[in-house]
Structures are given as structure tokens and as C-alpha cells.
Amino acid sequence: AQKITQTQPGMFVQEKEAVTLDCTYDTSDPSYGLFWYKQPSSGEMIFLIYQGSYDQQNATEGRYSLNFQKARKSANLVISASQLGDSAMYFCAMRYSGGGADGLTFGKGTHLIIQP
Amino acid sequence: DTGVSQDPRHKITKRGQNVTFRCDPISEHNRLYWYRQTLGQGPEFLTYFQNEAQLEKSRLLSDRFSAERPKGSFSTLEIQRTEQGDSAMYLCASSRQPLAGLNEQYFGPGTRLTVT
């Protein structure tokens, strides 16, 4: 069974600093996808970035990058130059693969607060 | 581009009553997912459809829960004989058929259910 672990329940970061949010995962499937979503206080889940298990390079999307270390089974999210609007819950998720299964398994999330 | 919409946004019901939620996915998306999110947790996968076919159901989906997607467009999630433990945010997401592994799921704003 897949499992996602986010060990940081909450983080306080000064505006403009870089932030690393930790995520480790456990799966026996060689083919999988890793996702990060942002959930502001309004409640909607916003897709940020994706990394496939066979991708050779770390994914990047604007200020977001994913530090993918396959041997360690970690997929940390890095936010460069944090902004006040980055304050939100952040969830790491893994996609099932194979056998037609397609749901996402989410971690418990990290509550990020950016301070001015 | 119209995003995923859900109706109602909030529902308060008494224990034992039945409730039904609706989800309208992004029009060109053939996959539709239902998740449940309780306070302080990440979303938990419930079920998903490809077109009108329900392809996977989580163990979380007890026999009091039923989901349909009759014409492969909108979907409904019904909870019969609601219990206080059903109080949660019910999230709907949609996606295209995955290509080369990417399966970005776009989420709706959710329906918050409170069972009194």
C-alpha cells in the first residue's frame, strides 16, 4: 500500500526566504507519480507541481521546484523567494498506478505561514 | 475555461437524513474523482469514474454511500442515513485520460457537510 509522510505539521518562514517542505513516500510500485497541492484557507486544492518516477530531472514550475531523491523516497517541495500569499496548507500526494487504479494518496499536510 | 463546480457548497443535515451532492467536471475531462477531507487531514480517496463507469471504490465507501455518473458528465454522491462521522468536506476532482504518466487532477471548491 502507498503511504505519504509529511513530518512538518507547521512552519513559520520570513517573507522572501526559501522554504523546503518535506515529503517521504512508500510504495512497492516502480511506476508512480508525485504531486504537490496548495490549499488556502478558502478550501480549494490548487495543483502546483508533478514528478514522475521515471523522470530524470527534478520538476520545476516558476518559484516551485521538487527535490526528487528516488533512493531516499523523498519528494520535497522548494518554494523560492516566499511571498505572503504562499501562506496555506501544502499537501504531498502520490498517484496509484497499474490495474486501473487512479486515486491520489495524500499526506497530512504542512501548514505554512509566511511572516512579513 | 470553467473549472470544476460543486453544489451545494455547504449542507447541514440531521443524523439519519439522506443527502446528495453534485459535481460538474471540466467539460473535456473524462475522469472524475470523489475525495473526503476531515479537519486537519489530507483528502482521502473515495471513488472514481472514467466516463460513466465506476472503476474503483475505496474501503472508506461504505454501503451507505453511492456515487453515479449516468451520462459520463456530472456526478452525484449520495449518503444515506447520515452519521455524525460523515461530517467532512467532500471534494470532487476531474482529469483527462493520463498521458505518459501525468494525471493532474483539478479540484472543485468542495461541499462541506455538517451532520447534527
Side-chain angles (χ1 to χ4, degrees):
Chain A
Q2 283 91 348
K3 184 178 179 182
I4 296 285
T5 302
Q6 294 180 255
T7 57
Q8 304 153 311
M11 287 185 71
F12 289 86
V13 173
Q14 288 296 118
E15 189 180 7
K16 299 181 185 177
E17 289 184 351
V19 182
T20 297
L21 303 181
D22 295 341
C23 171
T24 58
Y25 59 91
D26 189 20
T27 182
S28 57
D29 194 330
S31 177
Y32 52 88
L34 295 157
F35 301 77
W36 278 92
Y37 282 84
K38 172 183 178 182
Q39 187 176 41
S41 56
S42 52
E44 75 273 27
M45 298 285 286
I46 301 167
F47 168 76
L48 296 178
I49 197 166
Y50 165 85
Q51 180 85 40
S53 58
Y54 295 119
D55 293 344
Q56 295 297 312
Q57 293 188 325
N58 287 344
T60 60
E61 289 286 347
R63 293 188 299 115
Y64 304 107
S65 60
L66 200 152
N67 184 1
F68 181 46
Q69 298 189 40
K70 195 170 183 177
R72 294 186 179 183
K73 294 189 175 180
S74 75
N76 297 341
L77 177 71
V78 179
I79 306 174
S80 63
S82 58
Q83 302 171 355
L84 295 178
D86 294 332
S87 295
M89 286 292 294
Y90 287 81
F91 291 96
C92 180
M94 172 185 290
R95 171 180 171 250
Y96 292 119
S97 61
D102 204 33
L104 292 174
T105 299
F106 285 84
K108 291 188 175 183
T110 295
H111 189 191
L112 176 65
I113 297 174
I114 307 298
Q115 297 176 313
Chain B
D1 181 24
T2 305
V4 179
S5 61
Q6 293 187 245
D7 184 67
R9 295 291 305 276
H10 303 273
K11 179 72 177 179
I12 300 174
T13 191
K14 292 184 177 179
R15 186 163 50 97
Q17 297 294 306
N18 299 345
V19 293
T20 300
F21 311 140
R22 176 179 171 125
C23 171
D24 287 87
I26 294 172
S27 58
E28 63 266 28
H29 287 182
N30 65 345
R31 291 196 173 187
L32 186 148
Y33 310 80
W34 285 100
Y35 293 84
R36 180 177 71 185
Q37 186 178 22
T38 52
L39 203 60
Q41 302 293 319
E44 297 170 295
F45 171 75
L46 294 178
T47 188
Y48 95 96
F49 293 83
Q50 179 163 304
N51 300 313
E52 64 275 11
Q54 188 173 16
L55 296 187
E56 187 185 3
K57 291 194 285 187
S58 161
R59 285 190 297 265
L60 293 174
L61 210 67
S62 77
D63 56 6
R64 295 186 298 106
F65 287 69
S66 63
E68 294 182 345
R69 194 182 183 197
K71 296 182 180 179
S73 56
F74 72 91
S75 175
T76 58
L77 178 68
E78 181 183 16
I79 309 174
Q80 295 182 328
R81 305 180 303 281
T82 52
E83 302 172 356
Q84 287 187 322
D86 297 331
S87 295
M89 176 78 86
Y90 289 84
L91 294 165
C92 176
S94 70
S95 75
R96 291 185 181 88
Q97 186 87 9
L99 296 173
L102 176 61
N103 185 24
E104 177 183 339
Q105 296 181 16
Y106 293 85
F107 282 80
T111 294
R112 182 168 296 283
L113 173 66
T114 302
V115 182
T116 62

